[in-house]
């Protein structure tokens, strides 16, 4: 019984050491992709700092949700002329409007000089 517990304990220590080693080595293996993500995180830090500064020092306290929605809208709409951001309510409304089915055969009935066409 002691031998089984000793093996389980050693296995647990080995697993912890393996995870710790992996977390120490992974940042070194990232290379260029890691520097891109690092610069992205630095930009997100700048966004967070600007967000905090506006919340703390702006003349009138802005609504956090509106600032975030506007930031998302700016980020998406700047990609190309056809991209836009919908807040959750607008997106849900759009889903309802565009999920219906349309039926018919494409006929238009009109009167032209007293004749039904």
């Amino acid at each position: 019984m002691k031998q089984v517990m000793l093996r389980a304990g050693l296995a647990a220590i080995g697993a912890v050491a393996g995870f710790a080693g992996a977390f120490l080595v992974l940042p070194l293996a990232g290379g260029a992709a890691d520097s891109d993500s690092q610069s992205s995180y630095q930009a997100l830090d700048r966004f967070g700092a600007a967000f905090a500064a506006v919340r703390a020092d702006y003349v009138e306290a802005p609504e956090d949700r509106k600032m975030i929605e506007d930031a998302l809208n700016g980020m998406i709409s700047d990609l190309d002329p056809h991209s836009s951001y919908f807040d959750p309510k607008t997106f849900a409304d759009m889903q309802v409007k565009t999920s219906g089915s349309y039926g018919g055969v494409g006929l238009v009935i009109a009167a032209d000089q007293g004749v039904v066409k």
Side-chain angles (χ1 to χ4, degrees):
M1 185 70 159
K2 276 186 168 182
Q3 205 171 27
V4 172
M5 289 181 67
L6 180 62
R7 284 185 186 173
L10 289 175
I13 290 171
V16 169
F19 281 119
F23 284 114
L24 292 174
V25 173
L26 283 176
L28 302 175
D34 189 43
S35 69
D36 288 344
S37 65
Q38 183 65 26
S39 64
S40 296
Y41 288 124
Q42 289 170 344
L44 287 172
D45 285 342
R46 285 195 333 264
F47 175 82
F51 182 80
V54 169
R55 287 180 75 207
D57 299 327
Y58 195 67
V59 177
E60 296 176 13
E63 185 181 335
D64 290 351
R65 182 182 202 103
K66 181 168 177 8
M67 283 198 313
I68 293 168
E69 296 291 328
D70 290 346
L72 289 168
N73 184 36
M75 176 179 64
I76 301 299
S77 64
D78 196 45
L79 293 173
D80 62 70
H82 308 289
S83 297
S84 60
Y85 171 78
F86 294 135
D87 62 75
K89 183 184 180 323
T90 304
F91 180 73
D93 291 345
M94 191 257 325
Q95 290 291 82
V96 168
K97 290 178 184 175
T98 60
S99 66
S101 60
Y102 303 97
V105 292
L107 295 176
V108 176
I109 300 174
D112 185 21
Q113 298 178 1
V115 177
V116 177
K117 293 186 176 184

